Amino acid sequence: MKRKLFAVLLVIAMLLCGCSAAPQSTSQSTTPSESQKQGWQIPADALDNYSGEILYVREVGKVTGKDAFTDTAQRFDVGATDLGFCYYDAQMQRLVTVFGDTFGADMSANWRSNVALYTDQIDYSAGIAYTGALTAAGHAESGCAVQLTPNGGRGVLVQGSAAETPKTSTCIPTGAVMVGNITYLFYMEIDENGFQDSGEWFVYCCRVLKSEDHGVSWTQVEGLTWQARTEDGETGLAPNFAQIYPFLAEDGYIYLYGIPGGRSGGTKLGRVEAEKIEDFSAYEYFTGYDSDGTPKWRAGSSGLSYIKQRDSAYVIDMPCGEMCVTYNAYLGKYLALYQNGSSLVYRTADNPWGPFSKPETILKTATDVYLGYGAFTCQQMADNGGQRIWILVSEWWPIYNVSQIEIVFR
């Protein structure tokens, strides 16, 4: 989302214990024993802690802008940006981060709806330093990072995308998932009159791009469209799937965590077998629980229609903004992170569909990260089996950029 620039804590602190953050296995296994827990010390620059489940929270530093671990303004013409959905490309051994509305080095010109930066480093404890970007020539260690989605509202197609978006103002990524070596990028098309004074926004639909060459080129996945709002402004078939965060679980399903446009709605859930990701009719949607706690699902468009007005279909209650879900082996739980009003929070569950625990506060956006939003991670952004994780948090004003936050669980 277009934001103007913002201030937050600038802390690039000493490393703790020199622990390596090598990519973790995707196996969703057991919680480490007491003997496996790292003896962390609370650092002097730790932020206020609001959760008894967390040992400490601290800011590591900026990951975008001129003051980042890599000067992204100079190297990739990414002077100001937000969000930062991460996915790990195992074949390339590469962490890829997709950002939202982006400005150039002077923080005014060369606006793009989104860009993608990557790093081939495996230790994130000293800060994520991006080593390359997706550029017009493909992967590059320097050069202007290009937009991946259709150029909303401007009739320009980028990287071979097939769908024009004449009624949208911007196309913002909401999450990405890899199936084998194919990357699927979900993004929302924000209505041309979408941004409101309240800070909410209207979304036309959520679509999907795919790349079969590790992000060098992207094409539209035809048929994968969750219509949140019709062209005449009426509610569409899938208002709660305006913003979709996809997560590939160990059971072979991709789970879709869907929220409406803005940050005030709750989360509903869809899923599809990974090999059927491009078949819209193969998706099914959570409708609630049986009396014994077994989740119930209904397939296809009839499933979307069925859950449209049903509160039983919520897996996380409102308000919920900018969703991220992963699995944390240290906790032995699925971990959902999102914005809840004036706080960034997390909740845990034994299954991708919940039930989720009560929210635990990570940061408060009025004090710790002023006007902050988003809390994005993936399983590889962790060490010691997930006892320490890193999340990316956006800062709105007056420094419109993204910071890396470190969390250590007890």
Side-chain angles (χ1 to χ4, degrees), residues 61-383:
K62 301 289 183 291
V63 299
T64 61
K66 64 182 181 61
D67 296 320
F69 300 108
T70 296
D71 182 345
T72 63
Q74 180 178 22
R75 285 187 54 179
F76 311 119
D77 203 31
V78 177
T81 189
D82 72 345
L83 302 179
F85 295 95
C86 301
Y87 67 91
Y88 189 74
D89 187 327
Q91 186 178 63
M92 301 290 286
Q93 297 185 47
R94 172 170 290 171
L95 180 75
V96 184
T97 307
V98 185
F99 297 95
D101 283 322
T102 300
F103 297 88
D106 64 358
M107 296 185 287
S108 60
N110 193 23
W111 173 79
R112 288 142 286 171
S113 281
N114 47 75
V115 297
L117 305 179
Y118 63 83
T119 180
D120 295 331
Q121 74 183 81
I122 61 171
D123 184 348
Y124 311 125
S125 59
I128 296 172
Y130 291 108
T131 54
L134 302 189
T135 70
H139 297 147
E141 294 180 358
S142 63
C144 179
V146 299
Q147 178 173 299
L148 310 181
T149 65
N151 196 357
R154 291 159 177 79
V156 178
L157 302 184
V158 176
Q159 299 221 23
S161 184
E164 293 193 31
T165 56
K167 296 189 72 74
T168 62
S169 61
T170 186
C171 299
I172 305 297
T174 60
V177 66
M178 292 200 70
V179 178
N181 290 320
I182 301 177
T183 310
Y184 292 90
L185 175 65
F186 288 68
Y187 68 94
M188 61 175 164
E189 297 184 353
I190 295 179
D191 189 287
E192 60 187 346
N193 299 309
F195 289 103
Q196 307 299 299
D197 291 339
S198 63
E200 298 296 285
W201 55 92
F202 296 129
V203 177
Y204 178 55
C205 66
C206 188
R207 299 188 195 267
V208 182
L209 297 178
K210 74 172 180 178
S211 175
E212 300 182 80
D213 52 15
H214 304 281
V216 173
S217 60
W218 298 82
T219 57
Q220 201 83 35
V221 180
E222 299 297 336
L224 285 191
T225 301
W226 286 265
Q227 200 75 38
R229 185 179 176 88
T230 65
E231 291 187 11
D232 57 8
E234 299 298 320
T235 301
L237 177 65
N240 227 94
F241 289 85
Q243 303 177 76
I244 294 175
Y245 185 85
F247 170 68
L248 177 58
E250 191 177 53
D251 62 7
Y253 279 93
I254 295 170
Y255 289 87
L256 308 183
Y257 296 86
I259 59 177
R263 300 188 178 108
S264 59
T267 305
K268 293 186 178 180
L269 182 66
R271 72 176 186 178
V272 67
E273 294 176 70
E275 64 271 18
K276 298 179 181 178
I277 186 173
E278 297 189 25
D279 181 0
F280 190 74
S281 67
Y283 288 75
E284 56 185 10
Y285 301 90
F286 175 80
T287 65
Y289 296 100
D290 278 334
S291 57
D292 62 357
T294 301
K296 298 185 294 183
W297 306 88
R298 184 170 291 204
S301 296
S302 65
L304 281 170
S305 180
Y306 183 82
I307 69 171
K308 197 171 176 180
Q309 303 296 333
R310 280 179 164 78
D311 289 347
S312 64
Y314 287 113
V315 292
I316 294 178
D317 54 344
M318 60 186 69
C320 180
E322 280 103 5
M323 165 70 63
C324 170
V325 177
T326 187
Y327 183 80
N328 186 286
Y330 179 80
L331 301 175
K333 304 281 186 181
Y334 293 89
L335 185 67
L337 304 101
Y338 62 97
Q339 181 169 349
N340 182 337
S342 60
S343 298
L344 301 182
V345 304
Y346 78 89
R347 299 169 82 159
T348 61
D350 292 330
N351 298 293
W353 53 84
F356 283 88
S357 64
K358 68 178 181 66
E360 297 280 347
T361 297
I362 302 170
L363 297 168
K364 292 188 176 179
T365 60
T367 52
D368 304 314
V369 192
Y370 184 58
L371 297 180
Y373 55 98
F376 308 122
T377 190
C378 63
Q379 284 177 251
Q380 289 73 26
M381 292 169 63
D383 64 5

Side-chain angles (χ1 to χ4, degrees), residues 379-400:
Q379 284 177 251
Q380 289 73 26
M381 292 169 63
D383 64 5
N384 200 48
Q387 186 180 9
R388 177 166 65 170
I389 68 171
W390 294 277
I391 65 175
L392 299 184
V393 173
S394 298
E395 306 166 274
W396 183 354
W397 181 87
I399 300 175
Y400 175 57

